[in-house]
């Protein structure tokens, strides 16, 4: 297992188009998180799954955003009708649920540019 | 959400120890203290985490104050590859399992040769 994989690494899209990103977590990790990061800021939490259940969504996740994790393995994040303000790095992370606390493993991210 | 306070930036010389401070005066008794670092154009990388006791791993040491209101990440010998933004984060503990991580702006560490 080589860690958390995200695809694509870069995406340029025109305003108003839909985009979908994929995240493949570490296989034994049952939690999966999506974050967004703009230049000069720390990552902002969007949503997370435990297995296939979406347990929490941030207020940042507008109705144009939807995330799925259909079989508790990989996840997709879709943005509909993209806007220039959606330009950011989208990061995925995975972890185990563990009573002793557990480090999160992040992917390298998908950089979205909306033109 | 519990907040952390870190200096915006710090400088270090190569091969010298670095102590990165973090204040978290509103920490609750079950929050975990996490540290991550991020290199340009990469995702954050886990460094270390702890609850009450000091922790050591191959990357760094974490010193936690007795009252848990502050902590310090210690890099024993800084290298140029340690230049990154370091985030101190509190992970809330929900009934024994961690919640999501809330990032601040972190400390940008520069390492001089």
């Amino acid at each position: 297992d080589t860690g958390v994989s995200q695809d694509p690494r870069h995406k340029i899209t025109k305003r108003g188009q839909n985009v979908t990103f994929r995240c493949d977590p570490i296989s034994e990790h049952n939690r999966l998180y999506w974050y967004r990061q703009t230049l000069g800021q720390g990552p902002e939490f969007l949503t997370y799954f435990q297995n296939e259940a979406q347990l929490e969504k941030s207020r940042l996740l507008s109705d144009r955003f939807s995330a799925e994790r259909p079989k508790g393995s990989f996840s997709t994040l879709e943005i509909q009708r993209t806007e220039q303000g959606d330009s950011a790095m989208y990061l995925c992370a995975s972890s185990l649920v563990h009573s002793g606390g557990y480090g999160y493993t992040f992917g390298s991210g998908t950089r979205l540019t909306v033109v | 959400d519990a907040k952390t306070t870190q200096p915006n930036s710090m400088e270090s010389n190569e091969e010298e120890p670095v102590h990165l401070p973090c204040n978290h005066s509103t920490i609750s008794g079950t929050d975990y203290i996490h540290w991550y670092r991020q290199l340009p154009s990469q995702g954050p990388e886990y460094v270390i985490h702890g609850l009450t006791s000091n922790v050591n791993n191959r990357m760094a040491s974490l010193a936690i104050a007795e009252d848990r209101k502050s902590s310090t990440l210690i890099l024993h010998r800084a290298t140029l590859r340690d230049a990154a933004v370091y985030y101190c984060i509190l992970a809330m503990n929900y009934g024994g399992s961690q919640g999501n991580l809330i990032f601040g702006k972190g400390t940008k560490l520069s390492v001089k040769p």
Side-chain angles (χ1 to χ4, degrees):
Chain A
D1 199 340
T2 55
V4 177
S5 299
Q6 291 190 247
D7 184 69
R9 288 296 309 274
H10 303 274
K11 178 72 177 178
I12 300 174
T13 191
K14 291 184 178 179
R15 190 173 50 187
Q17 298 293 305
N18 299 343
V19 294
T20 300
F21 310 139
R22 178 181 169 121
C23 172
D24 287 90
I26 292 175
S27 56
E28 61 265 29
H29 285 183
N30 49 8
R31 281 210 177 156
L32 186 149
Y33 305 80
W34 285 100
Y35 286 79
R36 180 176 73 182
Q37 186 174 26
T38 53
L39 205 59
Q41 304 296 315
E44 298 170 295
F45 168 73
L46 293 178
T47 187
Y48 85 91
F49 294 83
Q50 182 161 317
N51 301 314
E52 64 273 15
Q54 190 172 18
L55 295 189
E56 188 174 345
K57 291 194 288 188
S58 160
R59 289 188 302 272
L60 293 174
L61 211 67
S62 76
D63 56 6
R64 296 185 298 106
F65 288 69
S66 62
E68 292 183 343
R69 194 181 183 197
K71 296 183 180 177
S73 57
F74 73 92
S75 175
T76 58
L77 178 69
E78 182 184 16
I79 308 174
Q80 296 182 327
R81 305 180 305 281
T82 52
E83 302 171 356
Q84 287 189 319
D86 297 331
S87 295
M89 175 78 84
Y90 290 83
L91 294 160
C92 176
S94 68
S95 75
L96 278 176
V97 176
H98 190 281
S99 61
Y102 204 84
Y104 293 43
T105 303
F106 282 82
S108 297
T110 294
R111 181 166 295 284
L112 174 67
T113 303
V114 181
V115 297
Chain B
D1 294 319
K3 295 281 192 280
T4 62
T5 304
Q6 300 177 253
N8 289 334
S9 62
M10 289 184 64
E11 261 191 6
S12 171
N13 294 317
E14 198 176 11
E15 299 192 4
E16 290 186 356
V18 182
H19 291 233
L20 295 162
C22 181
N23 287 321
H24 29 78
S25 57
T26 59
I27 191 170
S28 79
T30 54
D31 289 345
Y32 291 97
I33 301 162
H34 281 238
W35 283 83
Y36 289 75
R37 69 181 186 182
Q38 188 173 24
L39 298 165
S41 300
Q42 294 188 23
E45 176 188 25
Y46 168 77
V47 178
I48 201 166
H49 80 281
L51 187 60
T52 55
S53 304
N54 294 345
V55 185
N56 299 297
N57 67 20
R58 62 175 181 80
M59 289 182 72
S61 296
L62 176 60
I64 301 172
E66 198 170 329
D67 64 5
R68 301 207 330 125
K69 292 184 185 298
S70 66
S71 62
T72 302
L73 179 71
I74 303 164
L75 306 179
H76 295 287
R77 286 184 66 211
T79 70
L80 297 179
R81 288 174 296 178
D82 291 324
V85 177
Y86 286 79
Y87 296 99
C88 168
I89 301 161
L90 300 182
M92 299 173 71
N93 189 343
Y94 299 115
S97 69
Q98 275 175 187
N100 69 74
L101 303 177
I102 306 296
F103 286 79
K105 289 194 174 182
T107 296
K108 184 174 183 178
L109 175 67
S110 303
V111 180
K112 296 186 290 184

